[in-house]
Amino acid sequence: MSPRHLVTLSLACAASALAASPDPASILEKRCYDCHDADSHKGNLDLTALKPTFTDLDAFAKWVKVYDRIEAGEMPPKKKEQPSAEEKSAVMSWLHDSLLGAEQARLKGKVRTAIHRLTRAEYENTMRDLFSMPGLALSGDLPADGSAHGFDKNSDALDISHVNLAKYIEAAEKTLDLAIATRPEAPAVQKRRISLANPAGFVAHVIMNGDGVLLKDKKPDPAFPPAADETHLDMSAHERMGSFDPGRAATVGLFRHEDESMSPYFMDHVTIYPGLYRVRTSLWSFQWDKGQVLPSRGTEAGRLSVVQLTGDGRGGQHPSYVLGYYDAPSMESKEHEVVTWMNVNEIIGFNTASLAPAANYARKGHAMSFTGPGIACDWLDVEGPLHDQWPPKSHELLFGKLPLTEFKKPEHPGVRPPARVVARQIGAGKNRRDPEPGLWTVQSEDPAADADRLLADFLPKAFRRPVDAGTRERYVALAKARLEAGDCFETAMRYAYRAALCAPEFLYHIETPGPLDDYAFASRLSYFFWNSMPDARLRQLAGDGTLRKPEVLKSEVERMLKDAKSQRFVEDFLGQWLKLRSIAANDADRKLYPEFNPYLQDSMVAETRAYFRELIEKNLDATYLVKSDFAMLNQKLATHYDIPGVTGAQVHRVALPPGCPRGGFLTQAAILKVTANGTTTSPVPRGAFVMARLLGQPPEPPPANTPAVEPDVRGAVTIREQLEKHRSDATCAGCHANIDPAGFALEAFDVIGGYRTRYRSLENGDPAPRGSIDPFIGISFKLGPAVDATGALPDGRKFQDIIELENILAGHPERLLKNLLEQLAIYSTGREVTFGDREQIAGILARTQKQGGGLRTLIHELVQSGLFSTR
């Protein structure tokens, strides 16, 4: 008997209970086998060999795809004879019951979400929030997390090894080093006014009195005294440029954009004490015309970064993070202020973000011949470390109100003093650490009782739930053992705290099987919206049993979304769902895309984050995922998009002009960059991205040994022409009919998200006009073949451009909303969405759509559902 007849017989037996309905086996044979047999094998699917053995996971997954394609009306194709309503119902009922029954049997008695540890981001945020140290840097020293079902939060991706454990011990030690106060009074708050121009600074390509540095008199601020060495400025380490009145501060004007050789820093302030610092600066812009300072072309932007110094003290290529981009108006100083956490051996870096890179006017002797834009920095004020109490909250968490006293060995015979780790200071200059006022540590008159009391307060916070007496006593015993061994009280308690910070109760999400208990539910909420531990209010509501009440839960979700910590959710979720983490995976080809720079890239990411935040804040519906009448832009991005009238470095909501193709995620530059390779674009990865990330229909992987289609950057042929040859293969055509259409529409955008009607090329083509590219950027590329952004969907609907495709996709908001819901569910629960979850998914969608279909409503309905609240 042939395999086809064996499968047919199996299907007939499986469908015997449906005798009153059409036979699913005969329907599949009649409607599907012509395209999906061993010979045709369309869509990489042979139904004649796919047995209805739903206990086999591989076969189960394939039958789910069959079910989905039939339900969506994609099988049989529109050009084929369609089954009757009775036939379709019979097949769908049989598949639904078979799949659901097999899945329920497989999961019976099992938990849906496996036990899993905190991700690196969750760990760092948890330590930051627990110890009230908002800039504590830990994640970079931890091993990378895995990924499953699109997210690193998934339990299938979060295993643990001895390497993880060793790194957790190091991270706990580092945290305790910084958390414990070692002096009776807070370090003195320093107030420094710093110039970019100082003899210890960078080798500057700047303007001074027509030769190197542009000086502009500014009245001094008595609260921020100038540095002692601000009586002279350097053009370089070898060339003294003169002096000026130290009672007046210098303005340094720069007209060269950042590159590998240009990294200016405010070297006169290097952080010694980790903590919060208030950073203020004054910026303005100008036009340099061969020695004359004229009004600028408009508002420019400067960038401030916190930069971690390296072991050699230079810090050149190691920026920790961008503080922000700040406006520099024409000829008028504008002051900016930000409070930020700085770690030891960090300095502030400055870059002229909006200026074009150029080296010719940076060489000695060329300044007087240059005409072009510049940015002036009057000064930088740094004030800190700032403490609202002493000892700090981190120390109080560990030792409460116990007094700090000086440790004198004669008074403590047989007791070892606490160990002190003093960070190596790099290039600190005038910023040297204050002399330590002796060896100070906490004093306890009753160590055993204090250890019990302190751990009774600490452990429930660290473990995110109540701790029973037996657990607490085990940690108290650790402290007592160290006391008996001769350690002082601080060291003994530190030993117990380190053990707690490396315990499973801290490192893992502790969840009860089935419905979550109140504390596990509070943690699931906080790690969803804050990527961190629940705060005191969430723990209180969990403790009194009121957190799950619908009105309370809704109020808490609103509170959490309004909290600044919810930006962690926006960044982490988008970083994985829309692959924003990969934004810097490749650099744009400098010859083809000379206008690309870090400021543009950071603006891209800021747009997508701000747009998603706006959708949630305004509770906009799912059509806005692909189509919108507004965008979140700053001046840099608006110029890139050729949208006039936008000024300033800050991203804000901008109404789009009629006919503008921008708006939804599809046409945002960040998405267009992560779906390109830095040199060329291809409809295949972009089309696959749209299917998988926005429509929830990830395409099948290509068959083994399928050659890649490489676009031609010489400009001889288009990618569409190359793909036509590829699609002529019947085994490739079926998949590409689904993948390529959206990708073809997105060919109207280049690798950095710029709109185009012709491809850029390196060899063939016409000279390229400047367009929106800065006139100080050289252009060497050419304009090659025309872009064809037309296409047709598998169901026959045609589109002429991206706007028409957006209209088609926006016509099915339920599909967009369903996919977003599933992505949020995977992210928040740490498990994949299964076939058995579909009934709950459908219920959440129905309730959301009944209330208008807004994204904020969707989040509320997810959190209120059993899907979210079960393990």
Side-chain angles (χ1 to χ4, degrees):
M1 186 177 293
S2 68
R4 171 183 292 207
H5 290 113
L6 281 172
V7 173
T8 302
L9 180 60
S10 299
L11 291 173
C13 294
S16 60
L18 302 173
S21 304
D23 178 18
S26 61
I27 297 170
L28 288 174
E29 182 173 10
K30 176 183 176 182
R31 303 292 185 186
C32 305
Y33 283 8
D34 286 347
C35 295
H36 300 288
D37 60 6
D39 295 328
S40 300
H41 208 245
K42 289 187 177 180
N44 199 26
L45 176 63
D46 178 7
L47 282 176
T48 65
L50 183 59
K51 299 180 181 180
T53 52
F54 299 99
T55 55
D56 178 80
L57 292 180
D58 183 61
F60 183 94
K62 290 180 178 179
W63 281 117
V64 169
K65 292 178 180 178
V66 171
Y67 179 92
D68 289 340
R69 297 299 178 265
I70 297 174
E71 183 183 44
E74 297 175 6
M75 287 179 55
K78 297 297 183 184
K79 61 183 179 180
K80 297 286 186 178
E81 182 182 353
Q82 296 298 299
S84 66
E86 291 79 9
E87 288 177 325
K88 182 175 180 178
S89 177
V91 172
M92 294 296 286
S93 296
W94 167 69
L95 277 175
H96 177 274
D97 294 345
S98 300
L99 292 167
L100 185 60
E103 184 174 273
Q104 289 174 341
R106 185 176 71 250
L107 297 177
K108 185 177 181 180
K110 297 180 180 179
V111 294
R112 292 287 310 282
T113 305
I115 186 170
H116 57 292
R117 60 172 171 82
L118 304 179
T119 67
R120 290 194 302 175
E122 289 174 340
Y123 178 90
E124 182 178 72
N125 287 331
T126 301
M127 291 289 256
R128 288 177 173 183
D129 294 347
L130 178 62
F131 285 93
S132 301
M133 295 192 291
L136 182 64
L138 299 172
S139 63
D141 295 326
L142 299 177
D145 299 318
S147 179
H149 309 292
F151 296 98
D152 61 12
K153 284 176 172 278
N154 196 280
S155 58
D156 294 339
L158 293 172
D159 55 357
I160 197 166
S161 68
H162 68 281
V163 177
N164 292 91
L165 292 174
K167 291 297 183 180
Y168 287 138
I169 293 173
E170 292 178 10
E173 292 282 16
K174 177 180 179 179
T175 302
L176 293 171
D177 285 340
L178 299 176
I180 297 173
T182 61
R183 51 174 58 213
E185 297 179 352
V189 175
Q190 294 189 39
K191 294 183 177 182
R192 301 294 301 280
R193 172 151 288 184
I194 314 162
S195 171
L196 272 171
N198 62 75
F202 57 96
V203 179
H205 302 298
V206 293
I207 304 295
M208 176 179 184
N209 297 335
D211 296 312
V213 177
L214 168 67
L215 297 182
K216 174 187 175 187
D217 285 342
K218 298 286 291 184
K219 292 182 180 180
D221 185 340
F224 291 86
D229 56 6
E230 212 172 80
T231 57
H232 49 75
L233 308 175
D234 275 11
M235 174 63 178
S236 71
H238 309 288
E239 191 174 14
R240 184 71 62 198
M241 300 301 295
S243 62
F244 69 102
D245 182 355
R248 308 187 72 82
T251 288
V252 180
L254 301 93
F255 45 64
R256 185 182 182 199
H257 174 72
E258 61 185 303
D259 62 19
E260 288 81 4
S261 64
M262 178 62 171
S263 300
Y265 303 107
F266 294 93
M267 291 296 294
D268 204 51
H269 184 282
V270 180
T271 307
I272 297 302
Y273 298 102
L276 291 173
Y277 287 78
R278 179 174 291 107
V279 178
R280 296 173 62 242
T281 193
S282 174
L283 305 176
W284 54 281
S285 58
F286 60 94
Q287 177 81 358
W288 179 262
D289 185 12
K290 300 178 181 179
Q292 292 188 18
V293 178
L294 304 175
S296 70
R297 59 187 178 179
T299 300
E300 301 287 354
R303 186 186 81 183
L304 293 180
S305 300
V306 173
V307 180
Q308 177 69 58
L309 288 177
T310 58
D312 59 11
R314 290 190 296 239
Q317 304 300 318
H318 299 274
S320 298
Y321 60 90
V322 174
L323 274 180
Y325 292 88
Y326 302 99
D327 293 345
S330 175
M331 301 299 287
E332 181 181 352
S333 295
K334 183 173 182 178
E335 297 185 7
H336 307 275
E337 179 179 311
V338 61
V339 175
T340 186
W341 179 279
M342 295 182 68
N343 293 297
V344 66
N345 289 328
E346 288 184 335
I347 59 176
I348 302 295
F350 175 80
N351 279 114
T352 55
S354 61
L355 302 188
N360 60 331
Y361 53 74
R363 297 196 300 270
K364 183 179 178 181
H366 285 231
M368 291 304 294
S369 64
F370 173 70
T371 295
I375 297 176
C377 178
D378 295 325
W379 41 259
L380 181 89
D381 290 345
V382 181
E383 180 182 4
L386 306 175
H387 292 283
D388 56 5
Q389 67 174 64
W390 192 264
K393 293 178 182 177
S394 59
H395 180 95
E396 190 174 82
L397 172 73
L398 300 171
F399 297 107
K401 300 296 183 180
L402 288 178
L404 280 164
T405 61
E406 189 171 7
F407 187 94
K408 297 179 180 179
K409 287 187 178 181
E411 298 175 6
H412 302 277
V415 177
R416 287 186 291 271
R420 291 285 183 260
V421 177
V422 179
R424 176 171 172 258
Q425 300 165 19
I426 302 174
K430 304 293 187 300
N431 244 25
R432 292 296 178 190
R433 185 183 294 271
D434 299 338
E436 289 291 338
L439 185 60
W440 289 71
T441 184
V442 291
Q443 177 68 34
S444 172
E445 298 296 332
D446 190 347
D450 284 335
D452 187 77
R453 175 178 55 81
L454 293 172
L455 284 163
D457 181 66
F458 176 82
L459 292 176
K461 295 174 182 176
F463 293 172
R464 307 179 284 279
R465 60 175 55 246
V467 173
D468 60 60
T471 300
R472 186 183 75 251
E473 288 168 2
R474 289 199 298 273
Y475 288 96
V476 173
L478 293 177
K480 287 181 178 179
R482 298 314 308 166
L483 289 167
E484 292 171 0
D487 285 336
C488 67
F489 184 73
E490 177 188 317
T491 303
M493 291 301 298
R494 181 185 174 118
Y495 185 76
Y497 289 134
R498 188 187 73 176
L501 294 172
C502 296
E505 292 89 343
F506 178 78
L507 297 175
Y508 282 81
H509 293 282
I510 305 298
E511 298 178 340
T512 51
L516 299 177
D517 65 35
D518 290 328
Y519 291 100
F521 185 75
S523 286
R524 182 165 286 187
L525 278 174
S526 66
Y527 283 99
F528 182 16
F529 295 115
W530 292 343
N531 233 14
S532 182
M533 60 183 287
D535 64 0
R537 177 168 174 79
L538 282 173
R539 295 197 305 271
Q540 176 189 345
L541 293 172
D544 62 28
T546 60
L547 179 57
R548 294 174 187 268
K549 291 183 177 180
E551 65 279 5
V552 175
L553 181 54
K554 183 175 183 179
S555 176
E556 284 304 292
V557 170
E558 286 294 315
R559 179 179 72 89
M560 297 177 77
L561 285 173
K562 292 174 183 176
D563 192 290
K565 289 186 291 187
S566 66
Q567 187 63 18
R568 298 170 180 170
F569 155 64
V570 172
E571 295 179 6
D572 195 50
F573 178 68
L574 294 183
Q576 299 183 74
W577 174 41
L578 298 181
K579 296 188 176 182
L580 294 191
R581 287 183 179 179
S582 302
I583 191 70
N586 53 68
D587 293 325
D589 186 286
R590 290 192 174 188
K591 293 182 179 180
L592 286 170
Y593 302 98
E595 70 268 42
F596 180 77
N597 66 6
Y599 181 27
L600 178 58
Q601 178 168 285
D602 287 348
S603 298
M604 293 174 177
V605 175
E607 175 194 17
T608 301
R609 290 171 175 172
Y611 185 76
F612 186 64
R613 168 71 75 177
E614 185 74 359
L615 298 188
I616 295 174
E617 291 294 322
K618 299 298 190 295
N619 199 21
L620 300 177
D621 64 57
T623 62
Y624 282 88
L625 296 175
V626 294
K627 179 184 177 183
S628 176
D629 59 356
F630 73 90
M632 306 299 290
L633 306 176
N634 61 5
Q635 182 176 339
K636 181 67 174 179
L637 207 53
T639 301
H640 186 56
Y641 289 173
D642 199 23
I643 296 173
V646 180
T647 302
Q650 301 310 304
V651 171
H652 59 281
R653 181 167 174 157
V654 175
L656 294 175
C660 180
R662 303 292 178 172
F665 287 131
L666 281 178
T667 58
Q668 292 177 7
I671 306 303
L672 295 163
K673 185 175 188 297
V674 300
T675 54
N677 67 9
T679 303
T680 59
T681 63
S682 170
V684 180
R686 282 182 170 173
F689 182 92
V690 173
M691 290 185 66
R693 301 289 164 165
L694 293 176
L695 302 180
Q697 298 176 351
E700 293 291 327
N705 303 318
T706 301
V709 179
E710 297 292 342
D712 179 16
V713 298
R714 297 171 301 173
V717 294
T718 67
I719 184 64
R720 183 185 283 263
E721 291 169 335
Q722 292 176 284
L723 277 174
E724 285 300 324
K725 297 180 180 179
H726 182 74
R727 287 160 60 110
S728 63
D729 187 332
T731 59
C732 301
C735 288
H736 281 276
N738 290 304
I739 297 172
D740 295 349
F744 283 139
L746 293 175
E747 280 296 283
F749 303 92
D750 60 32
V751 303
I752 60 172
Y755 187 79
R756 64 188 177 187
T757 57
R758 296 175 68 180
Y759 292 99
R760 294 183 183 184
S761 69
L762 295 177
E763 296 181 11
N764 303 317
D766 302 320
R770 184 159 298 279
S772 61
I773 297 178
D774 191 306
F776 292 93
I777 295 176
I779 294 180
S780 59
F781 63 85
K782 297 179 179 180
L783 294 184
V787 172
D788 182 358
T790 64
L793 298 177
D795 61 10
R797 287 178 294 174
K798 297 181 179 181
F799 54 85
Q800 294 301 310
D801 53 28
I802 184 63
I803 293 178
E804 291 190 5
L805 176 64
E806 289 174 341
N807 290 334
I808 292 173
L809 296 179
H812 299 277
E814 69 287 341
R815 179 187 300 178
L816 299 167
L817 195 65
K818 178 176 180 291
N819 173 65
L820 178 58
L821 171 59
E822 291 178 347
Q823 300 299 324
L824 290 168
I826 295 170
Y827 178 85
S828 63
T829 64
R831 65 172 184 265
E832 65 175 321
V833 174
T834 65
F835 190 84
D837 293 325
R838 295 188 175 198
E839 184 175 347
Q840 291 196 72
I841 291 288
I844 295 170
L845 290 173
R847 292 189 294 274
T848 300
Q849 290 173 314
K850 188 176 181 180
Q851 300 172 67
L855 267 59
R856 200 178 190 92
T857 302
L858 181 74
I859 291 172
H860 277 293
E861 290 298 332
L862 170 61
V863 169
Q864 297 272 359
S865 72
L867 183 66
F868 181 84
S869 62
T870 57
R871 181 182 172 197

